[in-house]
């Protein structure tokens, strides 16, 4: 009964072949566009999974990313340091200091689990993709390279136009301002040292004349000192 209610379609022989040829003809009439890479960079989506950037100031060496990585391609080394008490009478604390953070991108499958499980927002996706190497051993990138990729991470879109600035941007701007201030201080100190060395090496100018009493060596009275009144007896004689 159900089969009898179905509408019957009359198929024309060769209709599928005609549709395929129509698609081919439409494609042939369009202009071919070739991306002139590397002269013209491709426009990637803002959240492309290129490489993983590290913001090491937020890293607390909790090891969650290394433990959750399915490929075990994250290598982390650290040591403990004693922090003095913040207030008088307090007790000292120990904290982990990051020594090494490396990712082997020859093993990484770009699943993003390490970024999702990081509780302190220390790992981010960067759209950077030009990191090919001729040797597979050079695909293990250390934290210096991962930090360089951090500055290519696009800013997250604001959920609300009136929302506060994201903490990642505030922390990055604070770090950048601190480094800029330190660099400016170092440049200023170097300029002062150079000026002091130049002044020390410069010879002192010779003295033009020394004063004795109220008269200079040239015989002219010294205008900076009052002249002595003349004796009336000298005029009478």
């Amino acid at each position: 009964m159900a089969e009898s209610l179905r509408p019957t379609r009359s198929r024309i022989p060769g209709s599928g072949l005609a549709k395929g040829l129509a698609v081919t003809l439409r494609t042939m009439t369009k202009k071919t566009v070739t991306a002139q890479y590397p002269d013209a960079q491709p426009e990637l989506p803002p959240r492309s999974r290129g490489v993983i950037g590290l913001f090491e100031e937020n890293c607390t060496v909790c090891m969650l990313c290394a433990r959750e990585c399915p490929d075990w391609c994250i290598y982390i080394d650290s040591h403990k340091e004693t922090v003095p008490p913040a207030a008088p009478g307090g007790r000292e604390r120990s904290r982990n200091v990051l020594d090494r953070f490396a990712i082997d991108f020859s093993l990484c499958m770009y699943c993003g689990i390490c970024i999702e499980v990081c509780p302190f927002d220390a790992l981010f996706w960067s759209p950077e993709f030009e990191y090919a190497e001729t040797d597979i051993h050079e695909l293990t990138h250390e934290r210096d390279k991962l930090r360089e990729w951090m500055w290519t991470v696009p800013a997250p879109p604001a959920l609300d136009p009136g929302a506060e600035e994201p903490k990642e941007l505030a922390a990055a701007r604070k770090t950048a301002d601190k480094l800029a201030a330190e660099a400016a201080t170092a440049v200023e100190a170097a300029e002062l040292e150079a000026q002091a060395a130049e002044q020390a090496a410069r010879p002192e100018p010779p003295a033009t004349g020394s004063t004795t009493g109220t008269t200079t060596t040239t015989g002219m009275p010294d205008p900076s000192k009052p002249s002595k009144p003349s004796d009336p007896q000298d005029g009478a004689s």
Side-chain angles (χ1 to χ4, degrees):
M1 184 66 180
E3 294 180 357
S4 61
L5 296 177
R6 291 179 182 176
T8 58
R9 297 181 179 179
S10 58
R11 295 184 178 181
I12 302 175
S15 59
L17 178 61
K19 290 181 180 179
L21 291 176
V23 173
T24 304
L25 291 174
R26 285 198 303 268
T27 307
M28 290 175 62
T29 56
K30 292 182 181 180
K31 183 179 179 181
T32 304
V33 178
T34 303
Q36 300 297 330
Y37 178 83
D39 297 332
Q41 294 292 328
E43 295 182 1
L44 300 176
R47 290 297 173 186
S48 299
R49 294 191 176 188
V51 289
I52 299 173
L54 170 66
F55 190 56
E56 59 180 278
E57 283 78 5
N58 289 352
C59 182
T60 59
V61 201
C62 63
M63 305 294 290
L64 276 177
C65 55
R67 288 199 297 265
E68 296 296 332
C69 178
D71 295 332
W72 291 83
C73 63
I74 301 178
Y75 311 107
I76 301 176
D77 293 332
S78 64
H79 69 278
K80 288 189 175 183
E81 287 185 357
T82 302
V83 180
R91 64 185 182 89
E92 296 181 346
R93 298 179 180 272
S94 61
R95 67 182 181 93
N96 291 325
V97 179
L98 184 66
D99 291 332
R100 186 195 182 199
F101 195 108
I103 299 179
D104 187 357
F105 285 96
S106 64
L107 298 177
C108 178
M109 62 180 185
Y110 304 90
C111 62
I113 293 178
C114 57
I115 298 176
E116 294 177 1
V117 300
C118 180
F120 300 103
D121 293 333
L123 297 174
F124 297 88
W125 277 118
S126 167
E128 185 69 30
F129 64 93
E130 296 177 328
Y131 58 96
E133 300 290 347
T134 56
D135 188 359
I136 193 174
H137 297 92
E138 296 180 359
L139 284 174
T140 302
H141 295 289
E142 301 293 334
R143 64 175 184 174
D144 296 336
K145 189 65 176 179
L146 301 179
R147 183 178 178 83
E148 291 180 6
W149 285 331
M150 179 62 205
W151 306 117
T152 62
V153 175
L159 300 178
D160 186 1
E164 297 181 357
E165 185 182 34
K167 2 177 237 190
E168 296 88 357
L169 292 179
R173 185 173 291 106
K174 183 178 180 181
T175 304
D177 294 342
K178 182 179 178 181
L179 294 176
E182 291 178 354
T185 304
V187 171
E188 185 177 357
E191 291 179 354
L192 292 176
E193 290 180 0
Q195 292 178 0
E198 184 180 355
Q199 291 179 358
R202 185 183 303 170
E204 297 182 358
T208 56
S210 59
T211 59
T212 304
T214 59
T215 307
T216 61
T217 55
T218 57
M220 299 297 293
D222 189 355
S224 63
K225 296 185 179 180
S227 59
K228 184 178 179 181
S230 58
D231 193 352
Q233 296 179 0
D234 295 340
S237 61

